[in-house]
Amino acid sequence: MTRTSETTAMSAQQRRILAVMLVPMFMSLLSVSIVNVILPDMQKSIGASNSAIQWVLSGYTLAFGVLLVAAGRAGDLFGRGRLFVAGVSVFALGSLIAGFAPDPVMLNVARIIMGIGSGLLSPQGVGMLQQYFHGKIRGRAFGMFGTIVGVSVGIGPVLGGGLIAVLGEEWGWRSAFLINVPIAIAAIVLGRFWLPRSAWRGSAADTDRSDGGRADFDPVGLVLLSLGTLFVMLPFLERSAGAWIYALVPVGAVVIWLWVRWESRYARRGGAPMVDMNLFRTRTFAYGASLTSMYFVGMPGVWVIVALYLQNGLGFPALEAGLMGLPSALLAAVSAQASGRVVLTFGRKMVVLGVGIAIVGVVASALIVLAHEDLGISIWWMLASLGLTGIGQGMAISPNQTLTLADVPVEYAGSSGGVMQTGQRVGTAIGIAIVTAVFFVVQGLAGYGAAIVAGFGFIAAVMVFAGIIGIVDLVRGRAKDRQTAAVAGG
């Protein structure tokens, strides 16, 4: 494919790649947000205990997060098309089992299988965006990716509530899983025909052909990073185990430190590490990955505490509670598309502005709750304030992804994308654990209104830190530009 950063018109091949890639990615992200709404009916249907049903959430998230970097590296080596189709197939199998699961054990096994599928397919999408899209077209492609992220978060509760309303409690929650199967089958068939031949070949194919060597998959690095990610995420997803489980967090941090040391040593010895540590010396990647991780510590918690407040505090049914996020999802989609077209023109300034708008939306939502509790104004005004968070997300997430991966070599596109997505998954797990803890502590002391305001306060504080990271990157980037200009002029 010819590299043309000057044009913004996608080729037919690029449109086909996007069609094949984005629908299954939407499907896998939707499976995170839709479960929150269908959980009560699911629990009642199969007679699951609270601890058993918790693993419907935790098992999927853990399998998803632990596999991302390893799956990204596998796609780099063996072909992103292969890993993508394999991931979609595994995800479809898990969805089929979940839809007909007769008991909690089978359902939890199915959710873990679905998480494995998501972990396999997600980094391949980012890697193919890096491989087949360049210049302004890459910005547009990442804009579409941002649209997928935003819409999946906002539309999941609405879809879940709608399926239960139409199909009833039993088949409503089951159809939320079974609907994935025909979509996945279509993606597999189209992937076989529409993905270019180069997508089925990775760098290992060239290695094998040129010198007869084997692909270097760095198995020690794989084990260390997987264990480290597992130990860090697990306590925040399985809080009911007791305070002792948080001892795994420092253990996980040590394992990740050992992984970093191993990767650096492995590269010095001439091996091909799982992740090139030199990526973190690239300013755009280091700051961008940090910003997105911090952003996801904050923003996903919004929808958790909004659902708790509306359903438990105000008595809203699931469908009405889900509708509160719909304008945010639609505005995130529009904003991401528009931002993707101009991200290379405005750069990191757009990301910082997006984070700022999201903070305004969170603070405004807290003020609306206070006004509802004290003055009796309609809580539906939050449609507007949460809509601001959607606009901010569209301006922040996909442009940040474009800028963060701009200087990453294509041979590490999958693993670097996996690093970013792992930061998002770990950040989400930590953030939701903290914000729900804040919510329930305050709720016990002062009621639901005070609880959601406290939760919004935590989220806004975290988002400020994400904005500061973006500002520091922006300032340092300008200083580097001035230095480069001075050298060129002198």
Side-chain angles (χ1 to χ4, degrees), residues 118-427:
S118 288
L120 288 172
L121 72 91
S122 291
Q124 316 314 326
V126 176
M128 281 192 271
L129 288 182
Q130 287 288 95
Q131 183 175 359
Y132 296 108
F133 298 83
H134 305 285
K136 293 183 178 180
I137 294 180
R138 180 183 289 175
R140 286 184 59 197
F142 273 116
M144 293 180 184
F145 177 77
T147 298
I148 290 298
V149 173
V151 172
S152 66
V153 170
I155 208 71
V158 180
L159 180 59
L163 288 171
I164 289 172
V166 173
L167 299 176
E169 294 179 356
E170 177 70 19
W171 284 103
W173 74 263
R174 292 184 183 277
S175 65
F177 297 123
L178 294 175
I179 197 173
N180 294 327
V181 178
I183 297 172
I185 292 172
I188 292 167
V189 173
L190 292 177
R192 295 297 303 179
F193 289 101
W194 281 5
L195 290 180
R197 292 181 62 184
S198 55
W200 303 90
R201 296 175 57 84
S203 58
D206 297 328
T207 300
D208 291 340
R209 187 176 63 246
S210 61
D211 58 14
R214 292 187 303 169
D216 190 349
F217 194 57
D218 185 15
V220 174
L222 165 64
V223 172
L224 287 174
L225 182 59
S226 298
L227 285 176
T229 305
L230 176 65
F231 290 156
V232 170
M233 289 183 70
L234 184 60
F236 297 100
L237 296 171
E238 191 60 24
R239 301 188 296 278
S240 60
W244 69 267
I245 200 170
Y246 286 94
L248 290 177
V249 175
V251 174
V254 170
V255 174
I256 291 174
W257 176 78
L258 291 173
W259 170 72
V260 172
R261 295 291 301 271
W262 167 263
E263 295 292 273
S264 300
R265 180 169 175 262
Y266 197 60
R268 287 196 301 270
R269 290 169 53 192
M274 189 181 200
V275 175
D276 185 355
M277 290 294 119
N278 287 323
L279 289 175
F280 293 97
R281 294 176 184 160
T282 304
R283 191 197 82 249
T284 52
F285 183 81
Y287 279 104
S290 301
L291 187 152
T292 194
S293 297
M294 186 60 66
Y295 183 97
F296 276 84
V297 171
M299 191 53 70
V302 166
W303 305 110
V304 176
I305 61 175
V306 166
L308 287 170
Y309 175 66
L310 294 178
Q311 293 182 257
N312 296 351
L314 301 184
F316 278 35
L319 181 58
E320 287 187 28
L323 287 173
M324 188 65 78
L326 189 57
S328 178
L330 296 176
L331 289 170
V334 173
S335 176
Q337 288 280 0
S339 301
R341 295 176 181 272
V342 296
V343 58
L344 297 183
T345 302
F346 294 99
R348 191 69 71 185
K349 289 182 289 187
M350 176 177 291
V351 176
V352 173
L353 179 60
V355 173
I357 291 173
I359 293 171
V360 171
V362 171
V363 173
S365 297
L367 294 175
I368 288 169
V369 170
L370 289 173
H372 173 75
E373 295 285 329
D374 296 338
L375 304 176
I377 74 163
S378 173
I379 197 63
W380 288 103
W381 280 104
M382 269 210 305
L383 289 170
S385 60
L386 293 174
L388 280 178
T389 68
I391 293 172
Q393 177 165 306
M395 293 177 64
I397 295 303
S398 58
N400 181 67
Q401 194 129 2
T402 302
L403 298 170
T404 301
L405 298 175
D407 299 323
V408 173
V410 171
E411 60 268 24
Y412 278 100
S415 55
S416 59
V419 168
M420 286 191 67
Q421 291 181 319
T422 300
Q424 294 172 13
R425 301 283 76 76
V426 173

Side-chain angles (χ1 to χ4, degrees), residues 21-85:
M21 182 186 68
L22 291 181
V23 173
M25 291 181 72
F26 172 79
M27 181 179 63
S28 76
L29 293 168
L30 186 71
S31 288
V32 178
S33 61
I34 199 172
V35 170
N36 292 322
V37 171
I38 66 175
L39 211 57
D41 295 299
M42 187 190 308
Q43 184 173 12
K44 188 189 309 180
S45 171
I46 59 177
S49 65
N50 289 334
S51 59
I53 208 69
Q54 176 64 30
W55 271 95
V56 173
L57 300 171
S58 303
Y60 180 88
T61 304
L62 279 173
F64 192 173
V66 166
L67 273 179
L68 282 167
V69 180
R73 185 58 180 152
D76 294 338
L77 288 172
F78 304 116
R80 298 180 183 108
R82 295 177 190 274
L83 270 293
F84 186 79
V85 169

